[in-house]
Amino acid sequence: MSELNSMNREIKKNQLRRQIVPASVDKSESSEEIIKKARVKVRKKRLRIFLILFLVLAAGGIGAFQYFRLYHYTRYGVVWAKEMNEGSYEGYMDFGSNVLKYSKDGASYLDSQGKEVWIQSYEMKSPKAYVSGDYAAIVDQQGNSIYIFDKAGNTGVATTVLPIVKASVSSFGVVAAILEDSTSNYIYFFKQDGSALDVKIKALLGNSGYPVDISLSPDGTQLIGAYAYLKNGTLNGRVAFHNFAEIGKSIPDRLVGGFDEPYDGALVAQVRFLDDTYSCAFADNSVSFYSTKNALSPELLKQIPVPEDIKSVCYSSKYVGLIVDNPEGENPYRLDIYKANGDHVFSRDFQYQYTHADIDGDHVFLYNEDSCRVYNMSGRLKFSGTFDFSVSKIRNGRFPNTLIVTGPQNMKEIRLQIGGQYQ
């Protein structure tokens, strides 16, 4: 009997051991190995949770991207509005993430909610503003003064002896200006404090040509110029590149590249440095894209013929836009967008009586004094609507579906809507 009781006690002990130590655990395993396996199991569980969260967030991000890319807005609500003192208003320019307002008697810098950061008074008969990065220059065309600004206010005033035709400013505050007299034209350069640099280019119509337009690179070391020159008794266009860095110091007039043949029988009306490498030139029958990756040997990347009449051009640091007549299509106009290197982005026919065309970020704005159309870089019409106030400038707002709409008397941030009534 005692043997039977001993056997029962041993069976019960074995059952108790199996309950305490799972069968899957090898009795020969050490406690360190058990802890190691437990940690691996926890890591795998955390990784699964992370992957699930990542997929959910990615799906949400893609959904939001498609929402903002594909939806067509036709309504808007006003986020905030500010009345403006019209005065002798001339225009607005994008200045960094905010807006520069300029007139015949002064300029002001407005933040993203219409508040005046600074005000500068002056007297000009025909003010024209130029902006690059954190600097702006306002010149008195056919006058003799250039006011230079950064985001904190006026940094200097340049005074010229000869009348000013056009100008350009770099993102470091260097200003280049075309000055003219009765026999020749000059390109002078000024520091951000308004003092003159010991550099100038003399241009003669019968020699290097008459400077029609100029543009400084953002870093201020390069200049692209559009020139008109005489060839066999007729005017032709020319694009020239000048380098003012140390590597171009020994070259006459700092001229490192000239392009005549692409413009045989055509005139170049406008040039623009898009960034420190890419630039473009707008002729009456083409648009050309250049690279100065090799600073001493500028390269023509692509020239795109434009047989139609060019109505407007617009550009940013990434994109170039042309609006041309569209005589063969149902719609009277066509919008063509290119990257800075000349690659085609999209083309879109449209029927809309615009007066202004701008590019800001990944949006193209076509607008007139009381309405607007906004396209994204997929060529989709994102917004079309009318306003109950006069419009002078439109740009992106603080959020993906907001716009800053500025006029002579009002500045508003509007939120685009799919339905509902105008507010």
Side-chain angles (χ1 to χ4, degrees):
M1 190 70 174
S2 60
E3 292 180 359
L4 182 61
N5 290 335
S6 298
M7 290 177 62
N8 287 335
R9 284 197 297 271
E10 191 65 29
I11 291 171
K12 289 180 179 180
K13 287 181 181 179
N14 289 333
Q15 289 176 344
L16 183 60
R17 288 194 189 100
R18 284 197 294 268
Q19 289 176 358
I20 296 173
V21 182
S24 59
V25 178
D26 190 346
K27 296 179 181 180
S28 63
E29 285 184 326
S30 66
S31 60
E32 291 182 359
E33 289 174 334
I34 295 172
I35 293 171
K36 184 177 180 180
K37 286 185 177 182
R39 286 176 176 173
V40 170
K41 187 176 181 180
V42 170
R43 287 197 198 101
K44 288 181 178 180
K45 185 176 181 180
R46 288 177 178 174
L47 180 61
R48 284 197 296 270
I49 295 172
F50 173 78
L51 289 174
I52 292 170
L53 289 174
F54 175 79
L55 291 173
V56 170
L57 292 174
I62 292 171
F65 173 77
Q66 292 295 329
Y67 176 86
F68 289 120
R69 187 175 73 88
L70 298 177
Y71 270 85
H72 174 209
Y73 303 96
T74 57
R75 308 290 182 185
Y76 69 87
V78 177
V79 179
W80 57 261
K82 180 178 176 62
E83 291 188 2
M84 310 296 291
N85 180 18
E86 184 172 355
S88 57
Y89 158 82
E90 288 289 324
Y92 293 91
M93 293 285 288
D94 292 342
F95 190 13
S97 59
N98 298 314
V99 175
L100 175 71
K101 178 187 177 183
Y102 65 99
S103 65
K104 293 182 179 180
D105 53 17
S108 57
Y109 181 46
L110 309 174
D111 68 14
S112 59
Q113 293 186 309
K115 298 176 182 177
E116 292 179 333
V117 178
W118 52 255
I119 302 173
Q120 174 66 46
S121 61
Y122 54 69
E123 293 294 332
M124 294 186 184
K125 292 182 179 180
S126 182
K128 174 69 175 177
Y130 302 87
V131 174
S132 178
D134 293 338
Y135 276 87
I138 301 177
V139 308
D140 192 6
Q141 289 182 308
Q142 297 303 317
N144 305 100
S145 60
I146 303 173
Y147 279 72
I148 306 168
F149 303 92
D150 64 11
K151 292 181 179 180
N154 181 230
T155 63
V157 180
T159 303
T160 66
V161 176
L162 299 173
I164 303 165
V165 179
K166 283 188 176 182
S168 178
V169 63
S170 79
S171 59
F172 289 91
V174 175
V175 175
I178 301 174
L179 311 180
E180 67 176 355
D181 65 13
S182 58
T183 58
S184 60
N185 286 62
Y186 301 86
I187 301 175
Y188 277 78
F189 297 83
F190 304 91
K191 298 178 185 178
Q192 59 183 248
D193 62 1
S195 59
L197 285 164
D198 189 22
V199 181
K200 70 177 179 179
I201 300 170
K202 184 177 181 179
L204 298 171
L205 182 61
N207 189 6
S208 58
Y210 174 90
V212 177
D213 191 29
I214 56 174
S215 178
L216 282 167
S217 61
D219 64 9
T221 64
Q222 303 174 86
L223 181 137
I224 181 175
Y227 293 84
Y229 72 102
L230 285 172
K231 180 181 179 182
N232 300 325
T234 60
L235 279 176
N236 280 261
R238 168 184 291 151
V239 169
F241 288 86
H242 305 264
N243 190 291
F244 299 96
E246 189 67 27
I247 58 175
K249 195 172 183 179
S250 60
I251 302 173
D253 282 339
R254 304 293 186 107
L255 182 64
V256 294
F259 298 85
D260 300 348
E261 291 184 6
Y263 309 104
D264 191 22
L267 292 175
V268 183
Q270 192 172 356
V271 290
R272 178 71 180 184
F273 258 106
L274 305 174
D275 59 23
D276 287 325
T277 300
Y278 295 108
S279 57
C280 62
F282 303 97
D284 51 18
N285 61 1
S286 67
V287 56
S288 304
F289 296 87
Y290 292 93
S291 170
T292 54
K293 191 172 183 179
N294 183 342
L296 293 180
S297 183
E299 177 187 3
L300 174 60
L301 297 176
K302 192 175 295 185
Q303 185 176 39
I304 300 170
V306 185
E308 305 90 351
D309 288 339
I310 300 175
K311 310 296 292 184
S312 304
V313 300
C314 51
Y315 40 76
S316 68
S317 61
K318 294 182 179 179
Y319 301 103
V320 170
L322 287 84
I323 298 175
V324 302
D325 282 334
N326 188 37
E328 297 181 357
E330 295 181 0
N331 297 313
Y333 307 113
R334 188 182 74 243
L335 170 65
D336 296 326
I337 299 295
Y338 302 90
K339 292 183 180 179
N341 64 359
D343 290 346
H344 182 256
V345 179
F346 76 85
S347 292
R348 188 68 65 237
D349 297 347
F350 68 93
Q351 183 174 5
Y352 173 66
Q353 297 302 316
Y354 75 99
T355 55
H356 297 82
D358 291 325
I359 299 175
D360 184 20
D362 289 331
H363 289 133
V364 182
F365 298 95
L366 305 180
Y367 54 100
N368 55 35
E369 64 177 9
D370 61 4
S371 65
C372 171
R373 284 192 173 190
V374 182
Y375 293 86
N376 65 15
M377 287 304 164
S378 297
R380 297 187 65 89
L381 181 63
K382 289 292 298 171
F383 171 70
S384 58
T386 58
F387 304 109
D388 58 0
F389 61 98
S390 295
V391 176
S392 302
K393 183 73 175 175
I394 299 178
R395 62 168 299 160
N396 286 324
R398 295 173 296 169
F399 305 102
N401 63 332
T402 62
L403 303 176
I404 300 294
V405 185
T406 313
Q409 298 174 330
N410 295 277
M411 184 175 182
K412 298 182 180 182
E413 184 175 25
I414 63 172
R415 180 177 290 109
L416 304 183
Q417 301 172 349
I418 297 173
Q421 298 296 319
Y422 291 115
Q423 297 182 13

